[in-house]
Amino acid sequence: MIQSGKQSDRSIYKWVIRMQPTYTINNKMSYILGISAYYHDAAAALIKDGEIIAAAQEERFTRIKNDASFPANAIRYCLQQAGILLCDISTIIYYEKPYLKFERILEIFYRYAPWGMEQFIKGIPIWIEEKLFCKRMLKRELRKLGKFDEQHCKLLFSEHHLSHAASAFFGSDFQEAAIITVDGVGEWNTLSIAHGKANQIQLIKEMRFPDSIGLFYSAFTYYLGFKVNSGEYKMMGLAPYADRSDRQTSKFVDQIKQHLLTIHPDGSISFHKKMRMVHEKRWEQLFQLKPRKAESEIRPEHASLALAAQIVLEEILLRIVQTAQKLTGCSNLCLAGGVALNCVANGKIIRSQLFEHVFIQPAAGDAGGALGAAWATYYIYQGHSRKAGMNGDKMHFAQTGPQYTEHEIQDFLDSNNISYHYLDEAFLYEEVAKHIASGLCIGWFQGRMEFGPRALGNRSILADPRDKEMQKRLNLKIKFRESFRPFAPVILKEKVSDYFEKLTESNYMLITTNISLKHRIPLPKHYQDLDAAERLALPKSDIPAVTHVDFSARVQTVDEQSNPKLTKLLRAFEQLTGYPLLINTSFNVRGEPIVCTPQDAYRCFMTTNLDLLVLGNYIINKNNIQKS
């Protein structure tokens, strides 16, 4: 069951009491640097006076997907963006507490010994060398970046779910809200319900390891042949290929509830088997389905099992949301943690109308923990009051990464002898819109790189959503990924209700909803008899490239405030075609991070079947690359 925070001797929110101002704040040293690292998705975030100066993931610089190493490059970028040195920072905070995590690992191994001894023997040297002495290691790495003034710069440690909660609440513009954080596991917590008010957050209830909603979902991700901590969204995309009313899906749901976990009325769960969630032989016997090997054929029963896991996850989350509403009485809800990236569940939470307003942290995973830790320091530790945010949140629409000037882009192109043509703003959008409407796929590189897992229109691949062959083409010839994967639409905010049901805004592409009835194409009577490939090929709407097999879409809305350049391009495309939306997918190929620099963008452009690259106002056509 979810435990009361007040009864917990490990409450992640005891820092609310401990973290009171204990020193005089020096206005000349008001920068706070947050760091997440050493598990996955390392990142750095720099704030000043509560405002984001810069935030970025280390993977974008090293080009290593989900890079967990110390975020040296991300920190250098943050310092450069602010125009400061490391010694100018007043506080550095790490996003979790390694000692508490180590305590949990020791206790769990002790509790279930001798099972798990092999993992313990392999893992304990790494913990002792790298994670248990995290403070010493952080200081060593920081000294490599410049003068680290230990006398005047505090080195603090947040707790994992605190960092998540702070990233969501302080990233929103809500002065009061219920906060739910759900992930695999932090130190001990796997879920927390908290109440945020002004500059404080109070824990109300928590759930602890080994019971974990995130680990539950990841277990099925693994069993279905996808990579844990990065393949969960693939399983979510696979689920709609099965039918929610199908007998096989219903059977899998019943088996999960009867044999794997108990769902309590408040939304908490209890695993029936503790240490090892995926016991392949037992699961194979239970589901009459062998674990799928990576890259192997995907069969209907795989989709049914994926959907069953999704259905159970949604039931759990809706119960938790109900509990949070009852406990807090708030009309606002904030979500963070890796599970908050499940956009299908997010859509159901919003449509439940249990809360009037919902804010989901766009960097909901561990990368966002760096930002949350910095905000927790500023508001809770230092006691600053909160100011009203901008445009409903303080995330600056997640555009917090590096940007490149027109001069820097031209230098890159000229130094590499790359042919291009330059267009003024007055002609750029109409020209690009014409290319997209003619069937070309565009690499779109503008402004500051996005923070979090989604490309939101600055490091994007754009294409025509009306083209029924575009989804297959993008997956197989450009993204080099599984053919079943859906693509998201980006649409002018004022037109979203014309195309999508029960949605007014979705800045961060974190909500799934359905295509409106007037844009759908009725399915043939024999649709259920078709295999997955045939279902995929059959157009479901007049925007087939962004309509998933169940008539759903993961929507992003934009306007002049959130992304002026992309908004102008959408208006140009609407003027030309009558459609105010485009396909928007991340500018990368499978297994690589989203591009960061012009060099990254050009490399990706040249190694895929993209037709056109737009770097700022410079257009590069693959048919005419090299200068004469």
Side-chain angles (χ1 to χ4, degrees):
M1 300 291 287
I2 299 179
Q3 303 178 38
S4 167
K6 293 181 179 179
Q7 297 172 352
S8 170
D9 60 348
R10 294 193 188 93
S11 167
I12 63 168
Y13 294 92
K14 277 198 169 183
W15 51 264
V16 173
I17 299 172
R18 283 200 307 264
M19 283 191 171
Q20 298 301 320
T22 56
Y23 67 101
T24 301
I25 299 171
N26 185 339
N27 289 330
K28 292 183 179 180
M29 299 181 66
S30 57
Y31 290 98
I32 300 170
L33 177 68
I35 297 173
S36 65
Y38 304 132
Y39 181 48
H40 64 87
D41 212 11
L46 184 68
I47 67 171
K48 183 181 182 183
D49 300 327
E51 292 295 322
I52 303 174
I53 302 299
Q57 292 126 282
E58 184 69 4
E59 66 165 19
R60 307 293 169 85
F61 304 94
T62 63
R63 312 308 302 156
I64 300 171
K65 186 74 171 176
N66 300 127
D67 194 345
S69 61
F70 180 80
N73 295 286
I75 294 173
R76 287 191 189 97
Y77 154 67
C78 289
L79 296 175
Q80 182 181 14
Q81 182 68 25
I84 62 172
L85 301 175
L86 189 65
C87 60
D88 294 320
I89 293 176
S90 63
T91 308
I92 297 173
I93 182 161
Y94 185 65
Y95 82 124
E96 64 179 10
K97 294 195 172 182
Y99 282 104
L100 279 182
K101 182 170 280 193
F102 186 64
E103 176 191 83
R104 183 251 301 169
I105 289 171
L106 283 179
E107 184 172 321
I108 294 298
F109 277 123
Y110 177 77
R111 187 185 303 172
Y112 295 102
W115 295 279
M117 186 56 67
E118 181 181 350
Q119 296 97 312
F120 178 79
I121 292 171
K122 289 180 179 178
I124 202 68
I126 298 173
W127 266 97
I128 291 175
E129 181 180 352
E130 294 184 4
K131 299 194 171 56
L132 190 56
F133 300 110
C134 187
K135 186 174 184 178
R136 183 177 66 187
M137 188 162 58
L138 285 171
K139 287 182 177 181
R140 183 177 68 238
E141 295 297 330
L142 287 166
R143 291 189 191 104
K144 295 178 183 178
L145 298 175
K147 183 181 179 182
F148 175 55
D149 190 347
E150 297 181 39
Q151 297 298 318
H152 298 94
C153 180
K154 285 184 173 289
L155 179 57
L156 303 176
F157 291 79
S158 175
E159 295 192 40
H160 191 97
H161 273 248
L162 157 64
S163 299
H164 280 320
S167 75
F169 181 56
F170 297 131
S172 76
D173 194 31
F174 305 146
Q175 287 296 310
E176 185 175 6
I179 310 166
I180 297 174
T181 65
V182 194
D183 64 3
V185 61
E187 293 86 4
W188 279 94
N189 279 22
T190 62
L191 175 148
S192 69
I193 297 175
H195 184 191
K197 189 172 184 179
N199 65 348
Q200 296 294 316
I201 301 174
Q202 181 181 3
L203 176 69
I204 301 175
K205 294 211 172 196
E206 63 181 357
M207 189 167 72
R208 295 189 190 170
F209 185 86
D211 300 318
S212 168
I213 298 164
L215 293 180
F216 157 78
Y217 203 76
S218 292
F220 283 89
T221 300
Y222 167 81
Y223 198 76
L224 288 168
F226 304 118
K227 188 176 180 180
V228 172
N229 290 328
S230 64
E232 283 79 3
Y233 58 92
K234 297 181 183 180
M235 189 174 81
M236 182 179 66
L238 175 62
Y241 286 89
D243 192 330
R244 286 178 178 257
S245 60
D246 181 73
R247 182 180 300 176
Q248 179 72 79
T249 301
S250 299
K251 181 181 177 181
F252 283 152
V253 169
D254 291 340
Q255 289 170 325
I256 290 170
K257 292 181 178 181
Q258 291 174 17
H259 299 282
L260 295 185
L261 55 80
T262 297
I263 305 174
H264 301 290
D266 61 1
S268 59
I269 64 171
S270 300
F271 288 155
H272 295 175
K273 297 293 180 182
K274 294 291 183 181
M275 269 295 284
R276 190 177 176 186
M277 245 213 97
V278 182
H279 193 300
E280 292 187 3
K281 290 184 179 179
R282 291 176 183 170
W283 279 39
E284 184 177 341
Q285 184 177 14
L286 174 64
F287 298 121
Q288 292 297 295
L289 178 66
K290 291 183 178 181
R292 175 181 169 267
K293 294 182 180 179
E295 310 301 326
S296 66
E297 178 190 6
I298 295 176
R299 302 197 303 273
E301 53 266 38
H302 294 135
S304 293
L305 187 58
L307 179 56
Q310 179 68 31
I311 290 170
V312 173
L313 175 77
E314 291 166 7
E315 179 183 340
I316 293 167
L317 290 177
L318 283 171
R319 289 193 188 190
I320 291 167
V321 170
Q322 290 173 341
T323 300
Q325 204 285 324
K326 290 176 182 177
L327 291 173
T328 65
C330 292
S331 59
N332 302 318
L333 173 65
C334 296
L335 297 173
V339 177
L341 294 172
N342 191 298
C343 55
V344 177
N346 291 342
K348 291 187 177 295
I349 289 170
I350 290 170
R351 290 190 292 277
S352 74
Q353 297 184 322
L354 289 164
F355 288 88
E356 291 180 22
H357 307 287
V358 179
F359 175 78
I360 307 163
Q361 166 56 242
D366 280 8
L371 179 58
W375 268 329
T377 302
Y378 182 77
Y379 290 113
I380 299 169
Y381 183 76
Q382 295 183 351
H384 293 284
S385 60
R386 292 181 68 199
K387 301 174 183 177
M390 55 173 289
N391 310 312
D393 66 69
K394 295 186 69 175
M395 285 300 300
H396 300 285
F397 302 105
Q399 297 169 26
T400 61
Q403 61 184 336
Y404 298 85
T405 66
E406 296 291 295
H407 179 70
E408 288 172 324
I409 292 172
Q410 184 177 349
D411 276 353
F412 162 71
L413 295 172
D414 288 341
S415 62
N416 288 277
N417 201 36
I418 299 169
S419 180
Y420 60 84
H421 70 276
Y422 179 90
L423 285 177
D424 290 330
E425 291 275 319
F427 306 101
L428 176 67
Y429 308 107
E430 183 179 353
E431 176 83 4
V432 175
K434 287 179 181 178
H435 287 302
I436 294 174
S438 70
L440 301 190
C441 297
I442 310 296
W444 182 254
F445 183 100
Q446 307 289 332
R448 297 186 71 172
M449 182 182 66
E450 302 91 337
F451 184 48
R454 309 288 186 229
L456 300 171
N458 286 1
R459 302 291 187 275
S460 292
I461 292 173
L462 305 176
D464 191 341
R466 303 170 302 159
D467 188 338
K468 65 180 182 180
E469 298 296 326
M470 189 58 72
Q471 192 258 7
K472 181 178 180 181
R473 180 187 169 195
L474 282 172
N475 270 329
L476 298 181
K477 296 187 177 182
I478 293 174
K479 301 285 282 187
F480 303 126
R481 66 185 196 181
E482 299 91 345
S483 61
F484 69 85
R485 300 270 295 278
F487 286 101
V490 58
I491 186 169
L492 292 172
K493 186 179 294 186
E494 70 265 24
K495 299 296 179 70
V496 65
S497 60
D498 294 339
Y499 286 83
F500 302 101
E501 296 178 347
K502 299 178 181 179
L503 186 67
T504 58
E505 182 178 271
S506 178
N507 292 330
Y508 298 115
M509 204 186 284
L510 288 171
I511 302 167
T512 292
T513 190
N514 288 330
I515 304 289
S516 61
L517 291 174
K518 67 180 180 180
H519 288 283
R520 296 188 192 182
I521 297 174
L523 298 176
K525 294 181 180 180
H526 67 284
Y527 180 76
Q528 296 299 332
D529 297 327
L530 301 177
D531 61 29
E534 290 171 326
R535 291 187 187 187
L536 178 63
L538 195 68
K540 313 296 185 306
S541 74
D542 58 354
I543 44 173
V546 293
T547 306
H548 206 11
V549 291
D550 59 349
F551 293 105
S552 68
R554 175 166 49 93
V555 182
Q556 179 197 357
T557 58
V558 297
D559 57 16
E560 292 284 355
Q561 222 166 19
S562 63
N563 196 317
K565 285 198 168 187
L566 185 56
T567 297
K568 290 174 182 176
L569 178 59
L570 285 168
R571 294 198 191 286
F573 189 76
E574 181 186 26
Q575 185 70 27
L576 188 65
T577 66
Y579 285 77
L581 70 165
L582 294 169
I583 296 172
N584 178 16
T585 188
S586 56
F587 197 162
N588 67 318
V589 295
R590 184 184 184 187
E592 290 188 3
I594 297 172
V595 301
C596 175
T597 67
Q599 292 90 332
D600 297 335
Y602 183 74
R603 188 184 309 113
C604 185
F605 172 64
M606 291 301 295
T607 55
T608 65
N609 287 303
L610 281 171
D611 302 297
L612 213 67
L613 175 61
V614 184
L615 299 173
N617 287 45
Y618 295 88
I619 297 181
I620 300 96
N621 193 314
K622 193 167 283 182
N623 293 327
N624 186 26
I625 293 293
Q626 296 298 323
K627 290 182 179 180
S628 57

